[in-house]
Amino acid sequence: MRIISIAGARPNFMKIAPIVAALEQVPEVEHLLVHTGQHYDQEMSDVFFRDLSIPAPDIDLEVGSASHAVQTARIMVEFEKVCEKEQPDMVVVVGDVNSTMACTLVAAKLQIPVAHVEAGLRSFDRTMPEEINRLVTDSLADLLFTTSRDADENLKREGVAPQKIHFVGNVMIDTLLKHRERAASMDVARGLGLDGEDYALMTLHRPSNVDDPSVLTGILQAVQQISRSLPVIFPIHPRTSARIKEFELASLVEGGVRISEPMGYLEFLNLMSKARLVMTDSGGLQEETTFLGVPCLTIRKNTERPVTISEGTNVLVGTDPERLLEAAGQILDGNWKASKVPEYWDGRAAERIVEILTRGS
Ligand code: UD1
Protein backbone atom coordinates (compact mmCIF):
# COMPACT_ATOMS: atom_id res chain seq x y z
CA MET A 1 0.00 0.00 0.00
CA ARG A 2 1.50 3.31 -1.09
CA ILE A 3 0.49 6.31 1.03
CA ILE A 4 1.43 9.94 0.45
CA SER A 5 1.02 12.30 3.39
CA ILE A 6 1.02 16.06 3.06
CA ALA A 7 2.52 18.78 5.22
CA GLY A 8 2.59 22.39 4.12
CA ALA A 9 2.35 24.99 6.85
CA ARG A 10 3.44 25.31 10.47
CA PRO A 11 0.31 23.89 12.13
CA ASN A 12 0.56 20.77 9.94
CA PHE A 13 3.93 19.61 11.20
CA MET A 14 2.93 18.63 14.76
CA LYS A 15 -0.10 16.82 13.33
CA ILE A 16 1.71 14.84 10.66
CA ALA A 17 4.66 13.82 12.90
CA PRO A 18 2.96 11.01 14.85
CA ILE A 19 1.17 9.74 11.73
CA VAL A 20 4.44 9.47 9.82
CA ALA A 21 6.04 7.69 12.79
CA ALA A 22 3.15 5.21 13.04
CA LEU A 23 3.02 4.57 9.28
CA GLU A 24 6.71 3.77 9.27
CA GLN A 25 6.06 0.93 11.70
CA VAL A 26 3.86 -0.88 9.18
CA PRO A 27 5.94 -3.04 6.80
CA GLU A 28 3.16 -3.26 4.17
CA VAL A 29 3.10 0.53 3.81
CA GLU A 30 5.34 2.40 1.46
CA HIS A 31 5.15 5.98 2.65
CA LEU A 32 6.12 9.24 0.97
CA LEU A 33 6.05 12.60 2.74
CA VAL A 34 5.32 15.61 0.55
CA HIS A 35 6.06 19.15 1.79
CA THR A 36 4.22 21.70 -0.33
CA GLY A 37 6.51 24.56 0.71
CA GLN A 38 3.57 26.76 1.79
CA HIS A 39 5.76 27.67 4.77
CA TYR A 40 9.46 27.68 4.00
CA ASP A 41 11.40 29.76 6.57
CA GLN A 42 13.67 28.02 9.09
CA GLU A 43 11.43 29.12 11.99
CA MET A 44 8.16 28.33 10.23
CA SER A 45 9.17 24.91 8.91
CA ASP A 46 12.67 23.38 9.33
CA VAL A 47 12.78 23.77 13.10
CA PHE A 48 9.68 21.58 13.44
CA PHE A 49 11.24 18.78 11.41
CA ARG A 50 14.24 18.92 13.73
CA ASP A 51 12.36 19.27 17.02
CA LEU A 52 9.85 16.55 16.16
CA SER A 53 12.29 14.19 14.37
CA ILE A 54 10.17 14.16 11.24
CA PRO A 55 12.12 12.57 8.39
CA ALA A 56 13.08 14.98 5.62
CA PRO A 57 10.30 15.23 3.03
CA ASP A 58 10.67 12.86 0.08
CA ILE A 59 9.33 15.57 -2.21
CA ASP A 60 9.23 19.36 -1.77
CA LEU A 61 6.88 21.26 -4.05
CA GLU A 62 8.47 24.60 -3.05
CA VAL A 63 5.38 26.67 -3.81
CA GLY A 64 6.07 29.54 -1.35
CA SER A 65 3.80 32.44 -0.42
CA ALA A 66 1.24 33.98 -2.79
CA SER A 67 -2.44 34.95 -2.89
CA HIS A 68 -4.85 32.15 -2.00
CA ALA A 69 -5.71 31.39 -5.63
CA VAL A 70 -2.12 31.42 -6.82
CA GLN A 71 -0.80 29.38 -3.89
CA THR A 72 -3.60 26.82 -4.16
CA ALA A 73 -3.17 26.56 -7.92
CA ARG A 74 0.61 26.10 -7.68
CA ILE A 75 0.21 23.31 -5.15
CA MET A 76 -2.38 21.63 -7.38
CA VAL A 77 -0.21 21.80 -10.51
CA GLU A 78 2.81 20.37 -8.72
CA PHE A 79 0.97 17.77 -6.66
CA GLU A 80 -0.84 16.42 -9.72
CA LYS A 81 2.55 15.57 -11.24
CA VAL A 82 3.55 13.78 -8.04
CA CYS A 83 0.35 11.71 -8.00
CA GLU A 84 0.72 10.77 -11.66
CA LYS A 85 4.29 9.64 -11.12
CA GLU A 86 3.90 7.92 -7.76
CA GLN A 87 0.38 6.46 -8.17
CA PRO A 88 -0.48 6.41 -4.44
CA ASP A 89 -3.32 4.27 -3.07
CA MET A 90 -4.19 6.94 -0.52
CA VAL A 91 -3.42 10.59 0.28
CA VAL A 92 -3.44 11.72 3.92
CA VAL A 93 -4.04 15.41 4.64
CA VAL A 94 -4.19 17.17 8.02
CA GLY A 95 -5.74 20.38 9.33
CA ASP A 96 -7.22 23.21 7.32
CA VAL A 97 -4.53 25.12 5.46
CA ASN A 98 -4.41 25.81 1.73
CA SER A 99 -2.13 22.79 1.20
CA THR A 100 -4.78 20.53 2.79
CA MET A 101 -7.49 21.63 0.39
CA ALA A 102 -5.29 21.84 -2.72
CA CYS A 103 -3.96 18.29 -2.39
CA THR A 104 -7.44 16.96 -1.60
CA LEU A 105 -8.82 18.47 -4.80
CA VAL A 106 -6.05 16.94 -6.88
CA ALA A 107 -6.37 13.48 -5.36
CA ALA A 108 -10.17 13.46 -5.57
CA LYS A 109 -10.09 14.30 -9.29
CA LEU A 110 -7.58 11.51 -9.90
CA GLN A 111 -9.85 9.18 -7.92
CA ILE A 112 -7.25 8.58 -5.24
CA PRO A 113 -8.90 8.12 -1.83
CA VAL A 114 -8.27 10.93 0.65
CA ALA A 115 -8.05 10.64 4.44
CA HIS A 116 -8.56 13.90 6.33
CA VAL A 117 -7.18 14.13 9.84
CA GLU A 118 -8.94 16.75 12.00
CA ALA A 119 -12.14 16.60 9.96
CA GLY A 120 -15.50 18.12 10.85
CA LEU A 121 -14.36 21.23 12.72
CA ARG A 122 -16.58 24.21 11.86
CA SER A 123 -16.45 27.84 12.92
CA PHE A 124 -19.52 28.52 10.71
CA ASP A 125 -17.66 31.64 9.63
CA ARG A 126 -16.90 31.64 5.93
CA THR A 127 -14.84 34.82 6.13
CA MET A 128 -12.08 32.54 7.50
CA PRO A 129 -10.06 30.98 4.67
CA GLU A 130 -9.61 27.87 6.84
CA GLU A 131 -13.40 27.33 7.00
CA ILE A 132 -13.56 27.17 3.19
CA ASN A 133 -10.63 24.74 3.22
CA ARG A 134 -12.39 22.54 5.80
CA LEU A 135 -15.68 22.47 3.89
CA VAL A 136 -14.06 21.55 0.58
CA THR A 137 -11.73 18.97 2.09
CA ASP A 138 -14.43 17.23 4.10
CA SER A 139 -16.89 17.09 1.24
CA LEU A 140 -14.32 15.25 -0.89
CA ALA A 141 -12.57 13.06 1.69
CA ASP A 142 -13.24 9.32 1.87
CA LEU A 143 -12.08 8.81 5.43
CA LEU A 144 -12.75 11.52 8.01
CA PHE A 145 -10.84 11.33 11.29
CA THR A 146 -12.22 13.55 14.04
CA THR A 147 -10.90 14.97 17.30
CA SER A 148 -14.23 15.50 19.08
CA ARG A 149 -17.82 14.29 18.98
CA ASP A 150 -19.15 17.68 17.86
CA ALA A 151 -17.11 17.29 14.67
CA ASP A 152 -18.86 13.97 13.95
CA GLU A 153 -22.20 15.73 14.33
CA ASN A 154 -21.19 18.53 11.96
CA LEU A 155 -20.21 16.01 9.30
CA LYS A 156 -23.39 13.97 9.64
CA ARG A 157 -25.45 17.15 9.38
CA GLU A 158 -23.66 17.92 6.11
CA GLY A 159 -24.61 14.51 4.76
CA VAL A 160 -21.33 12.63 5.19
CA ALA A 161 -22.01 8.90 5.46
CA PRO A 162 -21.46 7.83 9.09
CA GLN A 163 -19.26 4.87 8.08
CA LYS A 164 -16.67 7.30 6.68
CA ILE A 165 -16.35 9.11 10.03
CA HIS A 166 -13.94 7.87 12.71
CA PHE A 167 -13.58 9.57 16.08
CA VAL A 168 -9.92 8.91 16.91
CA GLY A 169 -8.77 11.75 19.18
CA ASN A 170 -6.19 14.43 18.65
CA VAL A 171 -2.85 13.82 16.92
CA MET A 172 -1.52 17.16 18.16
CA ILE A 173 -1.84 15.83 21.70
CA ASP A 174 0.11 12.69 20.66
CA THR A 175 2.97 15.04 19.76
CA LEU A 176 2.62 17.12 22.90
CA LEU A 177 2.74 14.07 25.14
CA LYS A 178 5.75 12.67 23.35
CA HIS A 179 7.77 15.86 23.75
CA ARG A 180 6.47 17.29 27.00
CA GLU A 181 9.30 16.03 29.18
CA ARG A 182 12.04 17.20 26.84
CA ALA A 183 10.41 20.64 26.62
CA ALA A 184 10.02 20.86 30.41
CA SER A 185 13.75 20.59 30.94
CA MET A 186 14.37 23.88 29.10
CA ASP A 187 14.27 27.39 30.59
CA VAL A 188 13.19 29.53 27.70
CA ALA A 189 11.75 32.39 29.77
CA ARG A 190 15.15 33.10 31.33
CA GLY A 191 16.62 33.56 27.84
CA LEU A 192 13.96 36.24 27.30
CA GLY A 193 15.00 38.12 30.43
CA LEU A 194 12.40 36.72 32.85
CA ASP A 195 13.79 35.42 36.06
CA GLY A 196 11.28 32.97 37.45
CA GLU A 197 8.35 35.40 37.54
CA ASP A 198 4.91 34.65 36.07
CA TYR A 199 4.23 35.62 32.49
CA ALA A 200 1.56 35.49 29.78
CA LEU A 201 2.22 34.01 26.34
CA MET A 202 0.61 35.43 23.23
CA THR A 203 0.36 34.66 19.51
CA LEU A 204 -1.59 36.58 16.88
CA HIS A 205 -1.68 36.05 13.13
CA ARG A 206 -5.25 35.80 11.77
CA PRO A 207 -5.82 38.23 8.89
CA SER A 208 -9.02 39.43 10.63
CA ASN A 209 -6.96 40.51 13.67
CA VAL A 210 -3.76 41.80 12.14
CA ASP A 211 -4.65 43.21 8.72
CA ASP A 212 -7.00 45.93 10.03
CA PRO A 213 -5.05 48.73 11.76
CA SER A 214 -7.83 49.64 14.22
CA VAL A 215 -8.38 46.02 15.33
CA LEU A 216 -4.65 45.36 15.70
CA THR A 217 -4.13 48.63 17.58
CA GLY A 218 -6.97 47.86 20.03
CA ILE A 219 -5.61 44.38 20.77
CA LEU A 220 -2.02 45.57 21.22
CA GLN A 221 -3.10 48.44 23.49
CA ALA A 222 -4.92 45.98 25.76
CA VAL A 223 -1.90 43.67 25.75
CA GLN A 224 0.37 46.61 26.60
CA GLN A 225 -1.85 47.32 29.60
CA ILE A 226 -1.84 43.67 30.72
CA SER A 227 1.94 43.64 30.44
CA ARG A 228 2.16 46.27 33.20
CA SER A 229 1.10 43.63 35.73
CA LEU A 230 2.24 40.48 33.91
CA PRO A 231 5.06 40.33 31.34
CA VAL A 232 3.78 39.13 27.96
CA ILE A 233 5.98 36.94 25.75
CA PHE A 234 5.00 37.45 22.13
CA PRO A 235 6.71 35.40 19.38
CA ILE A 236 5.65 37.22 16.23
CA HIS A 237 4.40 35.56 13.03
CA PRO A 238 5.90 37.08 9.84
CA ARG A 239 2.50 38.43 8.75
CA THR A 240 1.98 40.23 12.08
CA SER A 241 5.47 41.60 12.21
CA ALA A 242 5.00 43.09 8.71
CA ARG A 243 1.72 44.73 9.79
CA ILE A 244 3.20 46.16 13.02
CA LYS A 245 5.87 47.81 10.91
CA GLU A 246 3.42 48.98 8.24
CA PHE A 247 0.98 50.51 10.78
CA GLU A 248 3.85 51.92 12.90
CA LEU A 249 2.79 50.13 16.09
CA ALA A 250 6.25 49.19 17.37
CA SER A 251 5.76 51.29 20.53
CA LEU A 252 2.95 48.92 21.61
CA VAL A 253 5.23 45.89 21.67
CA GLU A 254 7.87 47.32 23.98
CA GLY A 255 8.36 47.37 27.75
CA GLY A 256 6.50 44.50 29.40
CA VAL A 257 5.84 42.92 26.02
CA ARG A 258 8.80 40.71 25.10
CA ILE A 259 8.76 40.04 21.38
CA SER A 260 10.72 37.31 19.66
CA GLU A 261 11.00 35.54 16.32
CA PRO A 262 8.58 32.62 15.80
CA MET A 263 9.71 29.75 18.03
CA GLY A 264 10.43 26.10 17.57
CA TYR A 265 8.07 23.47 18.94
CA LEU A 266 10.00 22.59 22.08
CA GLU A 267 10.72 26.16 23.12
CA PHE A 268 7.12 27.14 22.61
CA LEU A 269 5.77 24.10 24.46
CA ASN A 270 8.09 24.93 27.35
CA LEU A 271 6.74 28.49 27.53
CA MET A 272 3.12 27.44 27.12
CA SER A 273 3.26 24.75 29.82
CA LYS A 274 4.52 27.24 32.40
CA ALA A 275 2.47 30.29 31.35
CA ARG A 276 -0.03 31.88 33.74
CA LEU A 277 -2.27 32.50 30.75
CA VAL A 278 -2.24 32.32 26.96
CA MET A 279 -3.77 34.88 24.58
CA THR A 280 -4.12 33.67 21.01
CA ASP A 281 -6.06 33.50 17.77
CA SER A 282 -4.55 30.14 16.83
CA GLY A 283 -6.66 26.99 16.55
CA GLY A 284 -4.04 24.59 17.86
CA LEU A 285 -3.20 26.59 20.98
CA GLN A 286 -6.81 26.43 22.14
CA GLU A 287 -6.44 22.65 22.22
CA GLU A 288 -2.94 22.50 23.67
CA THR A 289 -3.81 24.86 26.55
CA THR A 290 -6.92 22.80 27.29
CA PHE A 291 -4.78 19.71 27.53
CA LEU A 292 -2.21 21.47 29.72
CA GLY A 293 -4.84 23.12 31.96
CA VAL A 294 -3.51 26.60 31.17
CA PRO A 295 -6.17 29.38 30.92
CA CYS A 296 -6.63 30.48 27.29
CA LEU A 297 -8.18 33.70 26.00
CA THR A 298 -9.04 33.33 22.34
CA ILE A 299 -9.02 36.63 20.49
CA ARG A 300 -11.74 35.64 18.02
CA LYS A 301 -15.51 35.86 17.79
CA ASN A 302 -15.94 32.14 17.14
CA THR A 303 -14.09 28.86 17.33
CA GLU A 304 -14.21 25.64 15.35
CA ARG A 305 -13.04 23.87 18.52
CA PRO A 306 -16.02 24.24 20.93
CA VAL A 307 -14.89 21.36 23.13
CA THR A 308 -12.08 23.61 24.38
CA ILE A 309 -14.79 25.90 25.76
CA SER A 310 -17.33 23.35 27.01
CA GLU A 311 -14.71 21.12 28.65
CA GLY A 312 -11.42 22.99 28.50
CA THR A 313 -9.75 26.17 29.71
CA ASN A 314 -10.69 28.31 26.71
CA VAL A 315 -12.88 31.44 26.60
CA LEU A 316 -13.69 33.53 23.53
CA VAL A 317 -13.05 37.20 24.18
CA GLY A 318 -13.52 38.53 20.64
CA THR A 319 -11.49 41.54 19.62
CA ASP A 320 -12.88 43.99 22.17
CA PRO A 321 -9.91 45.25 24.24
CA GLU A 322 -12.14 45.68 27.31
CA ARG A 323 -13.15 42.03 27.32
CA LEU A 324 -9.56 40.93 26.94
CA LEU A 325 -8.51 43.09 29.90
CA GLU A 326 -11.39 41.93 32.05
CA ALA A 327 -10.76 38.24 31.36
CA ALA A 328 -7.01 38.58 31.98
CA GLY A 329 -7.80 40.31 35.29
CA GLN A 330 -10.08 37.44 36.27
CA ILE A 331 -7.28 34.91 35.65
CA LEU A 332 -4.82 37.02 37.63
CA ASP A 333 -7.33 37.04 40.50
CA GLY A 334 -7.18 33.23 40.42
CA ASN A 335 -10.76 33.04 39.28
CA TRP A 336 -10.92 30.63 36.30
CA LYS A 337 -13.19 27.75 35.39
CA ALA A 338 -12.51 24.09 36.13
CA SER A 339 -11.59 22.02 33.09
CA LYS A 340 -10.90 18.48 31.95
CA VAL A 341 -9.06 16.78 29.11
CA PRO A 342 -11.45 15.84 26.28
CA GLU A 343 -12.16 12.21 25.44
CA TYR A 344 -9.44 10.36 23.49
CA TRP A 345 -6.86 13.13 23.77
CA ASP A 346 -4.60 10.44 25.12
CA GLY A 347 -1.55 10.16 22.89
CA ARG A 348 -2.90 7.29 20.77
CA ALA A 349 -4.75 9.07 17.97
CA ALA A 350 -2.16 8.33 15.27
CA GLU A 351 -2.11 4.68 16.24
CA ARG A 352 -5.90 4.52 15.79
CA ILE A 353 -5.69 6.33 12.46
CA VAL A 354 -3.02 4.05 11.03
CA GLU A 355 -4.92 0.98 12.19
CA ILE A 356 -7.95 2.15 10.20
CA LEU A 357 -5.89 3.26 7.18
CA THR A 358 -4.17 -0.08 6.85
CA ARG A 359 -7.12 -2.34 7.59
CA GLY A 360 -7.12 -5.03 4.94
CA SER A 361 -3.80 -3.95 3.42
C1 UD1 B 1 -1.30 29.92 7.26
C2 UD1 B 1 -2.64 29.19 7.27
C3 UD1 B 1 -3.30 29.36 8.64
C4 UD1 B 1 -2.37 28.95 9.75
C5 UD1 B 1 -1.07 29.73 9.62
C6 UD1 B 1 -0.07 29.35 10.68
C7 UD1 B 1 -3.92 29.12 5.16
C8 UD1 B 1 -5.06 29.71 4.45
N1 UD1 B 1 -3.56 29.76 6.29
O1 UD1 B 1 -1.56 31.30 7.41
O2 UD1 B 1 -4.46 28.56 8.69
O3 UD1 B 1 -2.98 29.22 10.99
O4 UD1 B 1 -0.51 29.44 8.33
O5 UD1 B 1 1.10 30.07 10.53
O6 UD1 B 1 -3.39 28.12 4.74
N2 UD1 B 1 5.68 33.99 5.46
C9 UD1 B 1 7.01 33.99 5.76
N3 UD1 B 1 7.64 32.79 5.90
C10 UD1 B 1 7.03 31.59 5.75
C11 UD1 B 1 5.66 31.60 5.44
C12 UD1 B 1 5.00 32.79 5.31
O7 UD1 B 1 7.62 35.04 5.91
O8 UD1 B 1 7.68 30.55 5.89
C13 UD1 B 1 4.96 35.27 5.34
C14 UD1 B 1 4.75 35.68 3.91
O9 UD1 B 1 4.90 37.05 3.83
C15 UD1 B 1 3.30 35.33 3.66
C16 UD1 B 1 2.68 35.53 5.04
O10 UD1 B 1 3.70 35.17 5.97
O11 UD1 B 1 2.75 36.11 2.67
C17 UD1 B 1 1.47 34.68 5.29
O12 UD1 B 1 1.76 33.31 5.02
P1 UD1 B 1 0.61 32.33 4.46
O13 UD1 B 1 1.12 30.92 4.41
O14 UD1 B 1 0.04 32.90 3.22
O15 UD1 B 1 -0.51 32.42 5.53
P2 UD1 B 1 -0.45 32.39 7.11
O16 UD1 B 1 -0.97 33.71 7.58
O17 UD1 B 1 0.89 31.93 7.61
Side-chain angles (χ1 to χ4, degrees):
M1 187 181 191
R2 178 169 269 213
I3 297 181
I4 291 186
S5 56
I6 309 294
R10 183 168 65 177
N12 287 167
F13 306 132
M14 51 294 259
K15 294 172 193 165
I16 210 75
I19 300 172
V20 172
L23 281 172
E24 291 193 336
Q25 299 300 311
V26 187
E28 299 77 31
V29 170
E30 194 185 333
H31 173 250
L32 289 175
L33 177 61
V34 170
H35 191 323
T36 64
Q38 178 174 344
H39 284 173
Y40 42 84
D41 281 345
Q42 275 279 334
E43 320 83 68
M44 299 297 284
S45 175
D46 302 19
V47 66
F48 292 89
F49 281 76
R50 267 201 312 279
D51 279 359
L52 305 177
S53 308
I54 308 172
D58 298 285
I59 300 162
D60 192 340
L61 307 181
E62 295 182 353
V63 299
S65 298
S67 70
H68 284 269
V70 171
Q71 187 175 62
T72 305
R74 278 190 194 143
I75 299 169
M76 289 182 70
V77 169
E78 295 308 316
F79 187 56
E80 187 179 53
K81 294 180 202 160
V82 171
C83 287
E84 277 167 352
K85 177 159 181 269
E86 304 294 345
Q87 299 284 321
D89 299 301
M90 168 85 69
V91 170
V92 178
V93 296
V94 297
D96 56 15
V97 301
N98 287 347
S99 303
T100 312
M101 178 189 70
C103 293
T104 299
L105 269 167
V106 169
K109 292 220 171 184
L110 293 172
Q111 297 177 31
I112 302 164
V114 173
H116 183 207
V117 176
E118 203 185 83
L121 298 182
R122 295 289 179 270
S123 64
F124 304 101
D125 173 2
R126 292 194 184 189
T127 65
M128 279 182 86
E130 294 80 4
E131 184 76 354
I132 310 286
N133 294 343
R134 293 179 202 117
L135 285 162
V136 173
T137 303
D138 285 341
S139 69
L140 297 175
D142 301 275
L143 278 172
L144 297 101
F145 294 113
T146 62
T147 51
S148 56
R149 303 272 182 199
D150 56 277
D152 293 28
E153 294 312 311
N154 291 336
L155 292 169
K156 287 182 202 155
R157 208 177 314 115
E158 288 170 16
V160 176
Q163 63 271 21
K164 291 183 177 179
I165 306 170
H166 301 272
F167 172 47
V168 291
N170 194 326
V171 283
M172 230 176 34
I173 304 303
D174 294 10
T175 297
L176 189 156
L177 276 165
K178 182 166 175 197
H179 296 280
R180 185 154 68 161
E181 236 169 82
R182 201 148 63 101
S185 66
M186 304 164 92
D187 191 356
V188 182
R190 188 178 299 273
L192 295 166
L194 296 176
D195 200 10
E197 67 255 51
D198 281 353
Y199 59 86
L201 179 64
M202 148 141 158
T203 74
L204 200 70
H205 74 282
R206 296 261 157 237
S208 56
N209 281 339
V210 306
D211 288 355
D212 178 331
S214 63
V215 175
L216 181 60
T217 305
I219 295 170
L220 293 182
Q221 279 170 341
V223 171
Q224 178 68 232
Q225 204 166 320
I226 292 166
S227 78
R228 290 188 195 122
S229 26
L230 185 70
V232 178
I233 300 177
F234 182 17
I236 305 192
H237 185 283
R239 172 194 283 278
T240 311
S241 124
R243 297 296 177 265
I244 289 176
K245 229 176 264 158
E246 184 185 337
F247 307 147
E248 299 180 355
L249 299 175
S251 62
L252 294 178
V253 290
E254 290 173 355
V257 183
R258 318 283 167 109
I259 56 172
S260 80
E261 294 294 309
M263 286 190 187
Y265 183 80
L266 295 173
E267 282 175 296
F268 195 82
L269 177 56
N270 169 277
L271 285 176
M272 182 166 46
S273 309
K274 300 178 186 184
R276 183 82 187 272
L277 69 103
V278 168
M279 297 177 278
T280 190
D281 58 6
S282 146
L285 261 65
Q286 297 171 55
E287 296 183 342
E288 289 167 332
T289 48
T290 273
F291 183 82
L292 294 166
V294 173
C296 180
L297 303 179
T298 296
I299 307 173
R300 284 174 48 187
K301 296 193 175 97
N302 50 54
T303 180
E304 60 289 335
R305 293 163 161 89
V307 74
T308 61
I309 296 180
S310 57
E311 298 183 18
T313 58
N314 189 22
V315 163
L316 290 180
V317 293
T319 53
D320 176 4
E322 287 306 317
R323 278 186 64 198
L324 183 56
L325 282 170
E326 194 187 318
Q330 213 180 311
I331 296 169
L332 286 177
D333 290 342
N335 179 14
W336 205 239
K337 58 181 176 167
S339 66
K340 63 175 185 180
V341 174
E343 187 184 1
Y344 268 16
W345 291 18
D346 60 359
R348 297 185 47 210
E351 199 182 298
R352 295 185 189 103
I353 289 169
V354 169
E355 199 275 313
I356 294 165
L357 285 179
T358 55
R359 252 179 220 167
S361 71

